Amino acid sequence: MTETPQRPLRVLAAMSGGVDSAVAAARAAEAGHDVTGVHLALSANPQSFRTGARGCCTIEDSRDARRAADVIGIPFYVWDLAERFREDVVDDFVAEYEAGRTPNPCLRCNEKIKFAALLDKALALGFDAVCTGHYATVVTRADGGRELHRASDMAKDQSYVLGVLDEKQLAHAMFPLGDTLTTKDEIRAEAERRGLAVAKKPDSHDICFIADGDTQGFLASRLGTREGDIVDESGAKVGSHDGAYGFTIGQRKGLRIGHPAPDGKPRYVLDISPVNNTVTVGPAEALDVTALTAVKPRWCGTAPAAPGAYTAQLRAHGDETPVTASLEDGELHVTFDEPVRGVAPGQAIVLYDGTRVVGSATIATTTRRSAVGA
């Protein structure tokens, strides 16, 4: 197995306006590829997105990306994908929370926007690959097939949010930062050496389309308020809320419970029921998940043919945990070697075989040690 051959390609570099995508585009150009930069306009009114150093979706970010392209010496365009982004990412985000699930909008954006809408348009225009600043690695097998692997530096690895890419998409993906054993400070130093003004620009961490970072307020503005009960595992009311959508499995803070639990220990969100608008809380140990079922699997290559031992990652910056997984009737069934906590329907589970990404699926149900299930 070797790294993807670096023959000269026509490359479309997705430039967010941040330092990672700028350095990735510069490296692709330096490697001899014919690179064109593109910034994705993802809001019909970009001033409604957060201003400042977001590295994603604002007018300032578009200008930062253009300046970086000028320094690199590559053509640059802005493509309007606002309508597609609203439908596939923002509306999906709201609908998932309304249904009591916890979505990952960055993963959905990679699947639907950067490696579906953007890649499809790039291929139609004659480009060979889309380049991004993600930290992951694409390698080529002896038979010519592509595999997605973790980045060389686990501290920066972003393969979790790329686990939705299939083998055909990986054949047209380029991640120049994936095999970089350097710190983020060294990436910034490289940007500065290249004369890129984004060298000192802070990273973005929050959801790009929520202007003030207030997810609950964002959801309330679209779903309205609907008062309901917070109950314990016995069904006794212990508090109230303004909308079940404002909670996530495993949440501890902001529960507004009027009195402590009998044992004096903290309580956590165990279950969210949008049908009766009820949030169930209980002790931390009631969050222990022993197994789960996930739907809509997407494989970075061939789907597993039989039950097997893998490791799984359950959140973007989470740890790996050993599992046994099998595919039955299009659903992924996973059993954990040791119980894990804070697993929420709607999140993605990504399977790994060593450093190789096997694929991902959306968590539908969980099995817990306690009587309360998700």
Side-chain angles (χ1 to χ4, degrees), residues 158-366:
Q158 292 176 302
S159 60
Y160 173 86
V161 295
L162 297 170
V164 291
L165 305 185
D166 61 29
E167 191 170 3
K168 291 181 179 179
Q169 292 170 321
L170 290 174
H172 300 284
M174 180 182 292
F175 307 120
L177 306 187
D179 59 357
T180 303
L181 283 171
T182 56
T183 66
K184 189 58 176 281
D185 286 342
E186 289 171 314
I187 292 292
R188 294 188 182 284
E190 178 180 340
E192 193 161 11
R193 288 195 304 271
R194 293 180 181 275
L196 300 171
V198 293
K200 293 182 171 63
K201 187 174 183 178
D203 292 334
S204 59
H205 297 287
D206 301 320
I207 299 170
C208 69
F209 53 84
I210 298 181
D212 57 3
D214 180 8
T215 300
Q216 190 163 352
F218 174 85
L219 292 169
S221 69
R222 284 154 177 78
L223 298 175
T225 58
R226 183 185 170 202
E227 188 173 340
D229 293 338
I230 300 176
V231 301
D232 62 18
E233 291 177 282
S234 71
K237 180 177 177 179
V238 296
S240 61
H241 62 77
D242 295 326
Y245 57 76
F247 297 84
T248 58
I249 301 296
Q251 179 179 336
R252 174 185 174 184
K253 297 182 179 180
L255 300 184
R256 298 187 301 175
I257 296 175
H259 52 83
D263 60 7
K265 294 182 179 179
R267 285 179 284 199
Y268 299 79
V269 174
L270 305 181
D271 189 39
I272 302 163
S273 176
V275 176
N276 58 15
N277 198 31
T278 298
V279 176
T280 303
V281 298
E285 55 267 24
L287 287 168
D288 286 345
V289 170
T290 57
L292 62 80
T293 299
V295 297
K296 301 178 182 178
R298 290 179 62 86
W299 307 109
C300 301
T302 305
Y310 303 93
T311 58
Q313 189 170 329
L314 297 163
R315 53 186 61 85
H317 303 291
D319 296 327
E320 288 183 87
T321 184
V323 301
T324 300
S326 62
L327 188 64
E328 301 174 22
D329 298 325
E331 293 184 340
L332 182 66
H333 297 269
V334 177
T335 302
F336 296 97
D337 288 11
E338 298 290 338
V340 296
R341 288 183 178 176
V343 182
Q347 293 177 328
I349 179 171
V350 177
L351 296 183
Y352 292 83
D353 181 6
T355 64
R356 180 176 69 87
V357 182
V358 178
S360 72
T362 301
I363 298 169
T365 60
T366 62

Side-chain angles (χ1 to χ4, degrees), residues 113-137:
I113 304 299
K114 293 176 183 174
F115 291 95
L118 177 62
L119 179 57
D120 288 347
K121 188 171 182 178
L123 294 176
L125 291 173
F127 288 94
D128 299 303
V130 165
C131 162
T132 74
H134 287 99
Y135 290 87
T137 305

